[in-house]
Amino acid sequence: MVPIKYELIKTDKQTGARLGKVTTPHGSFETPTFMPVGTLATVKTMSPEDLKSMHANIILSNTYHLWLRPGENIIKKAGGLHSFMNWDGSILTDSGGFQVFSLSDMRDITEEGVHFRNHLNGEKLFLSPEKSMEVQNALGSDIMMAFDECPPYPATHAYMKQSVERTSRWAERCLQAHSRKDEQGLFGIVQGGEFEDLRRQSASDLVSLDFPGYAIGGLSVGEPKPIMNRMLEFTTPLLPADKPRYLMGVGSPDSLIDGSIRGVDMFDCVLPTRIARNGTCMTSHGRLVVRNAKYAEDFGPIDDQCDCYTCRNYSRAYIRHLIKCNETFGFRLTTYHNLYFLLNLMEQVRNAIREDRLGDFREAFFEQYGLNKPNAKNF
Amino acid sequence: MVPIKYELIKTDKQTGARLGKVTTPHGSFETPTFMPVGTLATVKTMSPEDLKSMHANIILSNTYHLWLRPGENIIKKAGGLHSFMNWDGSILTDSGGFQVFSLSDMRDITEEGVHFRNHLNGEKLFLSPEKSMEVQNALGSDIMMAFDECPPYPATHAYMKQSVERTSRWAERCLQAHSRKDEQGLFGIVQGGEFEDLRRQSASDLVSLDFPGYAIGGLSVGEPKPIMNRMLEFTTPLLPADKPRYLMGVGSPDSLIDGSIRGVDMFDCVLPTRIARNGTCMTSHGRLVVRNAKYAEDFGPIDDQCDCYTCRNYSRAYIRHLIKCNETFGFRLTTYHNLYFLLNLMEQVRNAIREDRLGDFREAFFEQYGLNKPNAKNF
């Protein structure tokens, strides 16, 4: 029995965006949704209760990092990742591939897998489709990701074609190696960079393997946003309508809206939590760097349109003070706010789909942030 | 009108310890009690809600640190420290003296005050009784401390006598400079080191000034515990029975019990929060260094006798993993546990006084921890 279900509730008449519901062994959540990233079995500075209070239903954790620390066997002995970290909502784990390609040194990619040195102590390691499945099966996440190659952007068509074909072969090996098919759902990852023919080939290969969900990888890796949008427009129609679609590593507010419009259901990104720890907040007036001196005596909230815990109780002046003093409670407050901002944005997106007005919502949002201007900065 | 009231509820028939109730402009709390330390307007890693959930009623904040960062005027403009940090319970601020003597360089003590260089950037600063009152009045704490000299241990009788006399003159100047007597209560600080005649002289001087409460300073600065206990036995009877007594900087479990037995009502210390951030926990089986390798696969709680949030929900293995990875949620969990442990201990002490069995409680506690043995380590 496949443990992941997708129910299409309706499509937005203005844009075609999908309002849906994903069910995993740890509950259901409406889509489109954003997944906070908890790399090392914790969303940095947050408690599980913090995440629940902002209505996060699914979080992402990183297989590569947990494989290295504390090791998947400790988590397995703890009863799995949910039990280990006291999170009874849904968990998605990535394959480890992205980190191997982005964090490690001296990687050597073969048909069998990837040899590399880990980023902590230089130890020689080997990650393969089978190993990734073994680790993710030990972690016990609700949604696992197939082990894929993530070529850097830009890549040549020739290289990308080889890579896509290998990723398809690896996806088959992942399916074979996956040992808990009744308890964990495995998603395939469509690659192909900016090449439409390769995206088509990759999607076709993976759909034929009948995964319970599909991710779109290799976007938001440096390419201009119009290219990302064009690729999405081209790719999502290649995927089955009755399965969830996950756009990996995308978390800027404008891209969440534009991805939803192109039929994406799930997103994740370290952006909101990472910039929070640098004192940068997402607000309804654009980005706000609360550590700036001009907020030293500003006793208003981070965002006067926001009703989150941080904005209801704390001033810019206080949060600036905490961050300047490196007090972790400051990072906790900005992290809470940024995650709430994105989760709340996705709720607004879902409500707009429900009411067939996501196109209007996008227009108003882009107008408010000046994102329609030719030289608009990233949000 | 004096804004601090002390009500003696009863004394323990076995030991003479006092069960009391202190009322400040921000509420009441039973004593003996322990005050978590929130140096920079935050108890490191904790939210105000975390503190309330463990029944903390009063916290301490450090005048010296807040004077330097963010500066008392910002906090005054925010409406005072309670408003700035979103804490509606009671707050006690120290005078800044202890930090000037312990943290700063090149201090020069004169009758007027202390010239020193601050520990952050070496800037020349001057702290005096009048300046300390000005800063604490701006902070708006419920309980302020008089500016005193804290000589290092050991000091000669001659030096300590000079110092005690200056501290008494400074106390008078503090009383005169204190500009919000209806809103903030100012405590005098009895000094005198290990010299009984000087403790007597200091107490006599300060009691004649009729403060609404008294602190006992200059203990727990390196002297053996029997000397601290002897000094307390000698000093607390010199203080009025209808005022609260605060033993500064003491927070080890055994000393909290022994201080309570000698008539102390309030305690504070960075110990529980500081050791928590090093991965060390106070437990009903003694100290536990949760970052040790032997806990890597230990899925039991920090303390099997504890019902705090941390112990109900997280394992030693998980907390060790977080701390090894420098994840702040780990420090939050150990900090929560340690503060809960001490606040819960003080509740047990109060219940023992209520039932006239604090002597028995102490015996059982010291037996459990092996604290009666000749070579007992510090808790």
Side-chain angles (χ1 to χ4, degrees):
Chain A
M1 200 198 80
V2 173
I4 305 296
K5 285 179 192 139
Y6 176 78
E7 179 193 343
L8 177 64
I9 298 173
K10 80 180 286 293
T11 53
D12 177 59
K13 287 188 182 146
Q14 291 188 339
T15 64
R18 295 150 43 106
L19 179 69
K21 189 170 130 183
V22 172
T23 301
T24 83
H26 286 84
S28 297
F29 50 89
E30 281 198 341
T31 55
T33 196
F34 177 79
M35 303 182 283
V37 178
T39 295
L40 280 158
T42 174
V43 176
K44 289 187 194 304
T45 78
M46 295 285 96
S47 70
E49 290 76 15
D50 292 334
L51 296 169
K52 285 191 180 175
S53 73
M54 61 177 78
H55 307 302
N57 295 303
I58 176 167
I59 61 171
L60 182 145
S61 228
N62 293 116
T63 293
Y64 170 84
H65 290 280
L66 294 175
W67 176 38
L68 267 48
R69 294 187 298 179
E72 74 280 14
N73 285 327
I74 285 178
I75 293 176
K76 185 178 184 180
K77 284 182 191 165
L81 189 51
H82 295 83
S83 167
F84 186 61
M85 68 183 291
N86 188 34
W87 172 256
D88 61 8
S90 300
I91 301 176
L92 183 150
T93 45
D94 61 6
S95 70
F98 184 77
Q99 281 75 29
V100 167
F101 291 103
S102 64
L103 286 179
S104 64
D105 288 329
M106 296 181 57
R107 54 184 173 275
D108 178 22
I109 308 170
T110 69
E111 182 64 21
E112 183 58 20
V114 187
H115 295 270
F116 64 99
R117 290 184 185 272
N118 94 40
H119 74 291
L120 296 173
N121 59 13
E123 187 191 357
K124 277 189 184 175
L125 288 168
F126 177 67
L127 195 56
S128 64
E130 290 75 16
K131 183 68 191 176
S132 175
M133 293 302 104
E134 183 190 328
V135 176
Q136 292 185 74
N137 281 153
L139 298 177
S141 50
D142 299 279
I143 299 176
M144 300 160 56
M145 301 306 299
F147 185 68
D148 61 337
E149 188 190 346
C150 315
Y153 174 88
T156 64
H157 187 279
Y159 185 89
M160 189 61 86
K161 185 171 168 58
Q162 273 197 334
S163 169
V164 157
E165 287 167 356
R166 183 159 48 211
T167 287
S168 294
R169 291 190 297 273
W170 283 0
E172 252 188 286
R173 282 167 54 192
C174 285
L175 264 181
Q176 288 190 335
H178 177 16
S179 64
R180 299 176 69 186
K181 292 197 175 70
D182 287 354
E183 303 157 279
Q184 301 177 261
L186 174 63
F187 282 22
I189 304 178
V190 177
Q191 292 285 356
E194 54 180 320
F195 306 106
E196 295 193 5
D197 61 325
L198 299 181
R199 288 273 168 195
R200 184 182 302 276
Q201 177 178 349
S202 179
S204 167
D205 288 351
L206 294 169
V207 170
S208 74
L209 295 173
D210 194 26
F211 287 96
Y214 295 89
I216 300 161
L219 292 178
S220 197
V221 290
E223 81 284 4
K225 286 197 176 181
I227 290 189
M228 177 164 85
N229 285 335
R230 191 162 58 79
M231 278 301 114
L232 286 177
E233 276 160 26
F234 181 82
T235 306
T236 53
L238 304 173
L239 300 173
D242 61 347
K243 305 281 174 72
R245 302 160 185 167
Y246 158 37
L247 177 55
M248 305 180 83
V250 167
S252 73
D254 49 340
S255 296
L256 294 181
I257 296 172
D258 279 344
S260 298
I261 285 174
R262 287 158 182 85
V264 173
D265 307 305
M266 299 160 65
F267 302 86
D268 84 286
C269 195
V270 296
L271 179 74
T273 42
R274 181 170 289 167
I275 67 175
R277 295 194 305 280
N278 196 28
T280 300
C281 299
M282 296 173 167
T283 82
S284 55
H285 307 284
R287 281 204 192 186
L288 183 144
V289 183
V290 71
R291 58 184 306 143
N292 281 352
K294 65 177 166 181
Y295 301 120
E297 301 194 11
D298 184 335
F299 302 109
I302 293 287
D303 182 354
D304 58 9
Q305 306 290 305
C306 180
D307 63 351
C308 82
Y309 169 75
T310 300
C311 290
R312 281 187 285 108
N313 295 300
Y314 301 93
S315 66
R316 294 169 174 179
Y318 180 60
I319 296 167
R320 174 179 190 269
H321 159 67
L322 293 179
I323 288 176
K324 293 287 287 181
C325 294
N326 213 27
E327 286 283 354
T328 62
F329 189 51
F331 306 118
R332 184 170 158 187
L333 290 175
T334 53
T335 299
Y336 191 99
H337 169 81
N338 281 356
L339 287 176
Y340 185 96
F341 183 86
L342 287 191
L343 289 165
N344 185 50
L345 172 65
M346 296 316 284
E347 191 182 344
Q348 291 178 59
V349 166
R350 291 193 300 272
N351 287 338
I353 299 173
R354 222 181 302 270
E355 297 163 7
D356 292 313
R357 54 174 180 78
L358 184 57
D360 298 342
F361 179 84
R362 181 193 186 279
E363 275 311 296
F365 189 92
F366 276 60
E367 181 66 27
Q368 181 178 352
Y369 293 96
L371 296 170
N372 285 322
K373 291 174 191 156
N375 296 317
K377 282 188 290 191
N378 278 350
F379 190 96
Chain B
M1 199 200 79
V2 173
I4 306 296
K5 285 180 194 138
Y6 176 79
E7 179 193 340
L8 178 63
I9 298 173
K10 79 179 288 293
T11 53
D12 177 59
K13 285 186 183 147
Q14 290 189 339
T15 64
R18 293 148 47 106
L19 179 70
K21 188 171 131 183
V22 172
T23 302
T24 83
H26 286 83
S28 297
F29 49 89
E30 280 197 341
T31 56
T33 197
F34 177 78
M35 303 181 284
V37 177
T39 295
L40 280 158
T42 175
V43 176
K44 288 187 195 304
T45 77
M46 294 286 96
S47 71
E49 290 76 14
D50 291 334
L51 296 169
K52 285 190 180 174
S53 73
M54 62 177 79
H55 307 300
N57 295 301
I58 176 166
I59 61 171
L60 182 145
S61 228
N62 292 117
T63 293
Y64 170 84
H65 290 281
L66 294 174
W67 176 37
L68 267 47
R69 295 187 298 181
E72 73 279 13
N73 285 327
I74 285 178
I75 293 177
K76 186 178 183 178
K77 283 180 192 166
L81 188 51
H82 296 83
S83 168
F84 185 61
M85 68 183 289
N86 187 36
W87 172 254
D88 62 6
S90 300
I91 300 176
L92 182 150
T93 45
D94 61 6
S95 70
F98 183 77
Q99 281 73 30
V100 167
F101 291 103
S102 63
L103 286 180
S104 65
D105 288 329
M106 298 182 55
R107 55 186 171 274
D108 178 22
I109 308 169
T110 69
E111 182 64 22
E112 185 57 21
V114 186
H115 297 269
F116 64 99
R117 290 183 185 275
N118 93 39
H119 73 292
L120 296 173
N121 59 12
E123 187 191 358
K124 277 189 185 176
L125 289 168
F126 178 66
L127 194 56
S128 64
E130 290 75 17
K131 183 67 192 175
S132 175
M133 294 301 103
E134 184 190 328
V135 176
Q136 292 185 74
N137 282 152
L139 299 177
S141 50
D142 300 279
I143 299 176
M144 302 160 55
M145 300 307 299
F147 185 68
D148 61 336
E149 190 191 345
C150 316
Y153 174 87
T156 63
H157 187 279
Y159 185 89
M160 189 60 85
K161 184 170 168 61
Q162 274 196 337
S163 168
V164 159
E165 288 167 355
R166 184 159 48 211
T167 287
S168 293
R169 291 190 296 274
W170 284 0
E172 250 188 287
R173 281 165 55 191
C174 285
L175 265 180
Q176 288 190 336
H178 177 17
S179 64
R180 299 177 70 185
K181 293 197 175 69
D182 287 354
E183 303 157 279
Q184 300 176 262
L186 174 62
F187 282 21
I189 305 178
V190 177
Q191 291 285 359
E194 55 181 318
F195 306 106
E196 295 193 5
D197 62 323
L198 299 180
R199 288 273 168 193
R200 183 182 302 276
Q201 179 180 347
S202 179
S204 168
D205 289 352
L206 294 169
V207 170
S208 75
L209 295 172
D210 195 26
F211 288 96
Y214 295 89
I216 300 163
L219 292 179
S220 197
V221 290
E223 80 285 3
K225 287 198 176 181
I227 290 187
M228 177 164 86
N229 285 334
R230 191 161 60 78
M231 278 302 113
L232 286 177
E233 276 160 26
F234 182 82
T235 306
T236 52
L238 304 171
L239 300 173
D242 61 346
K243 305 282 176 69
R245 302 160 186 168
Y246 158 36
L247 176 56
M248 305 178 82
V250 168
S252 72
D254 49 339
S255 296
L256 295 181
I257 297 172
D258 279 344
S260 298
I261 285 173
R262 288 159 182 83
V264 173
D265 306 305
M266 298 161 65
F267 302 85
D268 84 285
C269 194
V270 295
L271 179 73
T273 41
R274 181 169 290 165
I275 67 175
R277 295 195 305 281
N278 196 27
T280 301
C281 300
M282 296 174 169
T283 81
S284 55
H285 306 285
R287 282 202 190 186
L288 183 143
V289 184
V290 71
R291 60 184 305 145
N292 281 352
K294 66 177 166 182
Y295 300 119
E297 301 194 14
D298 184 336
F299 302 109
I302 293 286
D303 183 354
D304 57 9
Q305 306 289 306
C306 180
D307 62 352
C308 82
Y309 168 74
T310 300
C311 289
R312 279 186 287 109
N313 295 301
Y314 302 93
S315 66
R316 293 169 175 179
Y318 180 61
I319 297 168
R320 173 178 190 270
H321 160 67
L322 294 178
I323 288 177
K324 293 287 287 181
C325 294
N326 213 27
E327 285 284 353
T328 64
F329 189 51
F331 305 118
R332 183 170 158 189
L333 291 175
T334 52
T335 299
Y336 192 99
H337 169 80
N338 281 356
L339 287 175
Y340 185 96
F341 183 86
L342 287 190
L343 289 164
N344 185 49
L345 173 65
M346 297 315 283
E347 191 182 345
Q348 291 179 59
V349 166
R350 292 193 299 273
N351 287 337
I353 299 174
R354 224 182 300 272
E355 297 163 6
D356 291 314
R357 54 174 179 79
L358 184 56
D360 299 341
F361 179 83
R362 181 194 187 278
E363 274 311 294
F365 188 92
F366 276 59
E367 180 65 27
Q368 181 178 351
Y369 293 97
L371 296 169
N372 285 322
K373 291 175 191 156
N375 294 319
K377 283 189 288 190
N378 277 351
F379 190 96

